[in-house]
Amino acid sequence: MGRIKKKGTSGAAKNYITRTRAVKKLQISLPDFRRLCIFKGIYPREPRNKKKVSKGSTAATTFYYTKDIQYLLHEPLLAKFREHKAVAKKIGRALGRGEAGDAARLEKNLMPKVKLDHIIKERYPTFVDALRDLDDALSMLFLFANLPSSEYIPAKTIALCQRLCHEFEHYVIVSNSLRKSFLSIKGIYYQATIQGQDIMWLVPYQFVQRTAGDIDFRIMGTFVEFYTTLLGFVNFRLYTSFGLVYPPKFNAKSDEEGGGLDAFQLEGRAIVNEGPAENGDSTNAIASAEAQAEVDKIIATTGEEVETEEEASTALVPVDEDGNTDAIDKFEATAQGADVLPQPQSSSAEAASLFAPFTFYLSRETPRAPLEFLIKAFGSKRVGWDSTLGDGAFTTNESDPSITHQIVDRPTLPTVSQHEVSVEPEATNGDAPAPKAQWPRSTMPGRTYVQPQWVWDCINQGKLLRPDLYAPGAELPPHLSPWVKPKKGEYDPNLPLEAQEPEGEADIFSEEEEEVDVDGEDSDMEEAPAVNGTGANVDALVDRESSVEAGEGMDVAELDDESEDEEDEDEIADDWEGFDSDAESDVSEGEAERRQHQRELEAEAAGIQLESKAPSTKEKKAKLRKDAEKKRKREEEERERLKMMLPQRKRKLLKRIEFGTDKRDKEAETLRKKRRRIENAKQAAEAI
């Protein structure tokens, strides 16, 4: 007879372990256990059958894989945590005795420093693995870089996050890796392609952040500690692979004055030939010199001077009929309703030449940091702004004649006020006075004024768009996410309504609007006291009818009786009017055809030619609507017939698919109606 197997010693009960047992097994505190799990990438697991794992208990319990906890037993950080706990006890004992100097000495000399280098190497065996896991790291670090310092977030951590984020942005600018960007409610999304990997991160808007009290900053601080180490390794690898010195030179004075990206200065690595040249062979030396020249050229393009090579490279960019730089072939659908093919993305050379020939000036009301990053990432190295926005501008003079584009984000002043304000030009050394631009009072001739959305839309579409659509005060086109492509049947704001609405929907909508307008006018006539020069007050008329004075009551009654008799006579006449009455519109279509046929027979018997009455516009719309309704009914009947031939399982699946399709169609119809109302309102306003 075999040995009896105990319950809970094999299977799922052995594969999982509770958090309490895991903490006891590792002999560390719960905060240290959480910190260690975050560093190692170990997360709670949900077993399929909780009752089997917890030996019949159904209480809420956190489970981990037993193998993961056994893996943590050999972690070197456990010894660091225990040393930290021992030193913390000594410091507490010294503070209890009032020996503050000894406590400071113990914290400075004996407190162990936790390094995560070996964990980064364990979790990311290759550099591509680190790039794939960079999305959350960048989003978290950019978030902490915009937070204010507090007792939970030290200023040193915020400065470290800002430095790492600026270093990463500099690499994106130099390598022209940025591809897309999108303005959302949460913040600004960016996507860069680095070594074939798409990296997307979110940057919050630079507003005053107020941290809530229900946020566990210890957990977030642990993630920040790990992500700063990861991004430091990634930045080092990216800079060295591109031939740059890491870390770049940091100008603390410029950073204090709001320099931002310009507080960092990139340098190329000096390439030294290790092997001596034999027999006059200087091939290695020439190769090293050429490589160093390429690095120096890249660094030079990040400066403020205008390079002639940049102008030459922009001259080689293909230009389409509209003057837009669009060198990518686009795959368009061959038929209506066909699959949308994925479009190729712009290369780094095309991204580097999008804004290269232009000089930008940012007005005070525009967000400087994102615009500077985007414009420099797409070729332009000449970005100026007002001196109040910080240090590092290409120019702080708004009247600089080299400025080609000025980005403004304020409404234009009325034409009267523009003429009323006189702009005094500045005199220069006896020459003609130079024009001085003071937007929005005056503008510089030859300069293009656009709103900030123009930069984002040009980047997402990979070409220069018409600036007049983004002029100050103009109604901007819809800003859509570049990662969401409209599917078949969904509402597309870029297409006209006629191209995406079903047949007869516009007529139905116009009739509904007319009914609503008529009802609204009737209610207005009943409620509003309409007084004009030709008629009397409606309320006065109602009061006059309701009031009965002496000698007028019998007359009013007689008039009412006469009007009722006339109405009865009219109704009788309508009933005996034959087939030409207006009641024909209320009968069914079959009855109308029968009556029409009867009229034709009577006319033929009497020898009279029946005049064909041309259908009115309302009748045409009604006929089109009926035809569309018939077509829809036929398609629905055919669909139901085909559905009955399916087995029950596939029929349920089809039902779920149809539910999602109907929901999508209703949403699209609602959006189309909303757009139709807006367009009708615009047309009415223009007509007035």
Side-chain angles (χ1 to χ4, degrees):
M1 182 178 178
R3 182 179 296 179
I4 298 175
K5 185 185 295 184
K6 285 187 178 182
K7 187 178 181 181
T9 57
S10 63
K14 188 178 180 181
N15 294 335
Y16 293 92
I17 185 173
T18 62
R19 188 179 64 181
T20 306
R21 290 174 55 197
V23 170
K24 288 181 179 180
K25 192 170 186 177
L26 295 174
Q27 298 180 3
I28 56 176
S29 61
L30 183 59
D32 289 341
F33 175 75
R34 288 174 178 162
R35 191 180 179 195
L36 185 61
C37 289
I38 291 173
F39 288 156
K40 300 291 288 185
I42 295 174
Y43 301 97
R45 307 292 178 175
E46 185 70 20
R48 290 184 178 179
N49 195 334
K50 258 190 173 182
K51 205 169 183 180
K52 288 184 179 180
V53 174
S54 56
K55 300 179 182 179
S57 177
T58 57
T61 312
T62 304
F63 293 95
Y64 291 86
Y65 281 144
T66 306
K67 288 186 176 181
D68 289 344
I69 303 303
Q70 290 176 350
Y71 175 64
L72 291 178
L73 287 171
H74 309 285
E75 176 57 42
L77 286 180
L78 285 175
K80 294 287 184 181
F81 290 160
R82 289 165 185 152
E83 291 177 12
H84 186 279
K85 186 176 182 181
V87 175
K89 283 184 179 180
K90 293 180 181 180
I91 293 174
R93 194 179 299 114
L95 291 175
R97 293 195 298 262
E99 299 172 353
D102 292 345
R105 178 181 55 81
L106 288 172
E107 185 178 4
K108 182 179 180 180
N109 299 330
L110 299 181
M111 188 63 71
K113 295 182 180 179
V114 178
K115 292 186 178 181
L116 307 178
D117 302 354
H118 65 285
I119 295 182
I120 299 295
K121 294 177 182 178
E122 288 176 4
R123 292 186 61 176
Y124 307 108
T126 62
F127 185 61
V128 176
D129 296 331
L131 292 177
R132 289 172 182 168
D133 202 22
L134 208 59
D135 298 356
D136 295 337
L138 288 173
S139 299
M140 179 70 77
L141 295 182
F142 273 99
L143 171 64
F144 268 73
N146 288 277
L147 289 179
S149 60
S150 63
E151 56 179 342
Y152 305 106
I153 311 171
K156 188 183 296 184
T157 302
I158 296 175
L160 176 61
C161 294
Q162 291 176 350
R163 181 178 64 82
L164 292 172
C165 292
H166 286 320
E167 290 173 0
F168 181 77
E169 286 181 339
H170 266 294
Y171 172 78
V172 173
I173 291 173
V174 174
S175 61
N176 302 118
S177 303
L178 195 64
R179 291 293 175 266
K180 297 177 183 178
S181 181
F182 176 62
L183 297 166
S184 70
I185 299 176
K186 296 180 180 180
I188 305 175
Y189 285 91
Y190 297 96
Q191 182 182 3
T193 303
I194 301 175
Q195 297 187 10
Q197 301 297 323
D198 292 334
I199 302 171
M200 185 187 300
W201 68 95
L202 175 65
V203 179
Y205 295 111
Q206 291 185 344
F207 297 140
V208 177
Q209 304 289 343
R210 291 174 180 162
T211 56
D214 56 347
I215 300 175
D216 194 347
F217 283 100
R218 292 183 301 174
I219 300 296
M220 298 183 69
T222 305
F223 276 103
V224 169
E225 185 180 358
F226 175 75
Y227 286 150
T228 50
T229 309
L230 172 62
L231 188 57
F233 274 96
V234 172
N235 285 346
F236 172 77
R237 179 67 179 271
L238 292 176
Y239 273 63
T240 53
S241 62
F242 208 73
L244 302 175
V245 174
Y246 186 83
K249 284 186 177 181
F250 177 68
N251 190 348
K253 183 179 179 182
S254 177
D255 185 64
E256 290 176 359
E257 295 176 357
L261 288 173
D262 294 280
F264 296 84
Q265 183 179 0
L266 304 185
E267 293 180 339
R269 287 193 305 166
I271 303 174
V272 181
N273 183 21
E274 298 179 356
E278 297 180 358
N279 299 327
D281 187 8
S282 59
T283 306
N284 295 333
I286 294 173
S288 301
E290 291 177 354
Q292 182 63 36
E294 290 293 329
V295 172
D296 294 339
K297 184 178 178 181
I298 293 172
I299 300 301
T301 56
T302 61
E304 298 177 356
E305 298 180 358
V306 182
E307 298 290 341
T308 57
E309 289 86 2
E310 291 180 356
E311 299 178 357
S313 62
T314 55
L316 300 176
V317 178
V319 180
D320 59 3
E321 296 177 356
D322 299 333
N324 299 326
T325 57
D326 190 8
I328 304 179
D329 294 334
K330 292 185 177 180
F331 303 109
E332 299 180 355
T334 56
Q336 186 177 4
D339 296 336
V340 179
L341 299 176
Q343 303 296 332
Q345 297 182 352
S346 59
S347 62
S348 59
E350 293 167 348
S353 61
L354 186 61
F355 296 144
F358 305 134
T359 302
F360 289 85
Y361 185 85
L362 310 180
S363 298
R364 289 177 298 173
E365 69 277 2
T366 58
R368 173 207 152 183
L371 286 173
E372 179 191 4
F373 173 57
L374 288 173
I375 292 171
K376 288 185 176 180
F378 280 83
S380 179
K381 311 304 176 186
R382 304 173 299 280
V383 185
W385 52 79
D386 193 87
S387 57
T388 58
L389 296 180
D391 189 29
F394 172 74
T395 178
T396 57
N397 182 15
E398 188 178 355
S399 303
D400 192 337
S402 63
I403 298 173
T404 60
H405 290 70
Q406 182 168 347
I407 301 177
V408 295
D409 196 12
R410 65 178 76 175
T412 56
L413 293 178
T415 308
V416 178
S417 62
Q418 290 183 6
H419 289 299
E420 288 177 356
V421 178
S422 61
V423 180
E424 297 181 359
E426 294 181 349
T428 57
N429 298 333
D431 299 334
K436 185 177 180 181
Q438 296 291 336
W439 172 262
R441 302 289 183 175
S442 63
T443 58
M444 287 288 290
R447 184 181 300 181
T448 304
Y449 292 84
V450 291
Q451 298 188 45
Q453 185 181 328
W454 179 79
V455 177
W456 271 271
D457 290 351
C458 289
I459 289 170
N460 294 334
Q461 297 191 24
K463 60 182 180 180
L464 298 176
L465 302 177
R466 291 171 49 187
D468 58 320
L469 300 177
Y470 300 84
E475 184 177 353
L476 296 173
H479 181 60
L480 306 176
S481 173
W483 299 285
V484 178
K485 301 300 180 184
K487 299 179 182 178
K488 182 181 178 182
E490 292 184 352
Y491 172 73
D492 188 2
N494 292 325
L495 295 178
L497 284 174
E498 293 76 10
Q500 53 183 330
E501 63 183 1
E503 185 179 357
E505 185 181 89
D507 299 333
I508 296 173
F509 178 78
S510 60
E511 290 182 3
E512 291 177 356
E513 290 295 315
E514 288 176 0
E515 292 177 359
V516 171
D517 293 341
V518 170
D519 295 340
E521 289 175 1
D522 294 341
S523 61
D524 293 341
M525 289 295 293
E526 292 175 1
E527 297 176 2
V531 181
N532 49 33
T534 58
N537 194 337
V538 176
D539 292 338
L541 293 176
V542 174
D543 294 338
R544 182 181 296 178
E545 291 177 0
S546 59
S547 63
V548 179
E549 297 182 2
E552 291 184 357
M554 296 301 294
D555 296 337
V556 172
E558 289 176 0
L559 289 173
D560 292 342
D561 293 339
E562 290 177 0
S563 63
E564 289 178 0
D565 294 341
E566 291 177 358
E567 289 179 359
D568 294 340
E569 291 176 0
D570 292 340
E571 290 178 358
I572 295 171
D574 290 340
D575 292 339
W576 292 97
E577 202 172 18
F579 299 106
D580 296 331
S581 65
D582 294 335
E584 185 177 348
S585 60
D586 298 333
V587 299
S588 62
E589 185 179 356
E591 183 68 15
E593 292 179 357
R594 189 185 66 78
R595 292 184 181 184
Q596 177 68 18
H597 182 63
Q598 182 67 22
R599 280 199 297 268
E600 292 176 357
L601 292 177
E602 291 177 358
E604 185 178 356
I608 303 172
Q609 185 177 3
L610 188 64
E611 296 181 359
S612 60
K613 186 172 64 174
S616 62
T617 307
K618 190 174 182 180
E619 291 176 351
K620 289 181 181 179
K621 291 182 178 179
K623 187 175 184 303
L624 290 174
R625 188 171 68 253
K626 288 178 181 178
D627 294 342
E629 187 69 19
K630 283 182 180 180
K631 184 178 179 181
R632 187 187 63 79
K633 285 183 178 180
R634 285 198 300 268
E635 292 178 353
E636 187 175 349
E637 291 174 357
E638 182 68 17
R639 195 184 305 112
E640 290 293 332
R641 185 181 66 81
L642 296 175
K643 194 189 300 183
M644 294 299 295
M645 300 172 63
L646 294 174
Q648 185 70 16
R649 184 177 178 183
K650 293 185 178 180
R651 199 181 306 168
K652 290 182 178 179
L653 177 61
L654 181 61
K655 189 176 181 180
R656 289 196 294 267
I657 295 173
E658 289 179 346
F659 176 78
T661 305
D662 294 341
K663 185 178 179 181
R664 181 200 63 193
D665 293 342
K666 288 180 181 178
E667 292 177 355
E669 183 180 358
T670 304
L671 293 173
R672 287 196 298 268
K673 286 184 177 179
K674 186 176 180 181
R675 181 175 174 181
R676 178 73 68 181
R677 290 193 190 94
I678 294 173
E679 291 183 353
N680 292 341
K682 287 182 181 178
Q683 292 177 0
E686 291 175 358
I688 293 174

